[in-house]
Amino acid sequence: MNKLIAWLEQLNETDSKARAVLRRSLAFDPGQHIPAFPYVEPFLKGEDSGWRRDMHYLVAALWAGHWREGQPSTKIKLAVAVGLHDKERRDKLNPKERNKPTSTEKRFITLLDADEDQLPHRLRQMVALLGEQPIDFEALLDDLLRWNGESKHTQNAWARNFYRALAPASKTQSDTATETAE
């Protein structure tokens, strides 16, 4: 498991400049903001280009842009955070409107279908939408490193996590276990 985010969080305690530089890098394509190099390159082991490099820069920038003072130590996966955000919004709707797709759900589905070129933009939008949700950026990086797999394992896992987070509170774990066993 990559420890980029743990290192950045530790560094942030003594050097808030790192977070500012990485946040600024959101305005550039991943890996193109030279002042961010000292904070990400040590984790890339000499890779000059490629998906792994881009995802490290993207996740570091997303972490910096999403960072909030006093965040809880418990972090949740991105898809669960999106599902919880959407559930909160749906709970405020009248009962007839709750089962219709929301703008958040539509954005999430678009994110799941994003190709390599679209993904950074779609992720920036989604993370910005989540505001105060405590996202697990280490898990996000691990997931993104497997984004291009033929089986689309990451996208399928995200879809499952999103829709499980939307499930009504009355649904028990045994109900869910029974459904997955069938």
Side-chain angles (χ1 to χ4, degrees):
M1 182 168 192
N2 197 309
K3 296 294 180 190
L4 171 65
I5 301 302
W7 181 75
L8 289 174
E9 287 179 354
Q10 207 171 30
L11 179 65
N12 185 52
E13 292 175 11
T14 58
D15 180 11
S16 62
K17 176 186 173 200
R19 196 175 73 244
V21 168
L22 290 169
R23 188 174 47 244
R24 172 80 174 107
S25 74
L26 282 169
F28 299 84
D29 287 336
Q32 299 302 309
H33 186 58
I34 294 171
F37 284 17
Y39 306 110
V40 181
E41 286 299 322
F43 291 87
L44 296 175
K45 299 177 176 87
E47 293 180 40
D48 291 337
S49 63
W51 184 255
R52 186 173 184 280
R53 183 175 191 277
D54 289 351
M55 292 305 97
H56 276 75
Y57 276 97
L58 176 61
V59 171
L62 291 170
W63 166 81
H66 189 73
W67 189 89
R68 304 287 187 274
E69 187 73 42
Q71 282 190 338
S73 59
T74 304
K75 311 269 191 245
I76 56 178
K77 291 189 172 212
L78 180 79
V80 174
V82 176
L84 294 173
H85 173 80
D86 195 34
K87 185 172 180 12
E88 287 175 16
R89 294 186 66 191
R90 287 175 192 252
D91 288 346
K92 294 175 184 173
L93 298 173
N94 71 52
K96 290 180 181 179
E97 299 292 318
R98 287 184 185 155
N99 291 327
K100 293 181 180 178
T102 62
S103 62
T104 302
E105 182 179 6
K106 290 174 187 175
R107 281 182 179 205
F108 185 71
I109 290 169
T110 302
L111 171 63
L112 293 178
D113 196 36
D115 63 23
E116 291 181 16
D117 294 332
Q118 300 166 338
L119 187 62
H121 174 70
R122 304 253 184 255
L123 271 172
R124 285 182 194 116
Q125 288 180 327
M126 191 58 68
V127 170
L129 180 71
L130 295 176
E132 300 296 319
Q133 292 278 5
I135 298 170
D136 183 344
F137 285 97
E138 288 286 356
L140 177 61
L141 178 57
D142 289 341
D143 287 347
L144 292 176
L145 291 174
R146 294 187 303 270
W147 188 263
N148 293 320
E150 284 185 36
S151 66
K152 297 208 176 267
H153 174 77
T154 298
Q155 293 88 328
N156 289 320
W158 283 17
R160 283 190 303 274
N161 288 336
F162 173 80
Y163 286 106
R164 286 176 184 160
L166 284 179
S170 62
K171 199 123 171 104
T172 64
Q173 286 181 335
S174 61
D175 291 341
T176 306
T178 303
E179 289 172 1
T180 55
E182 295 174 350

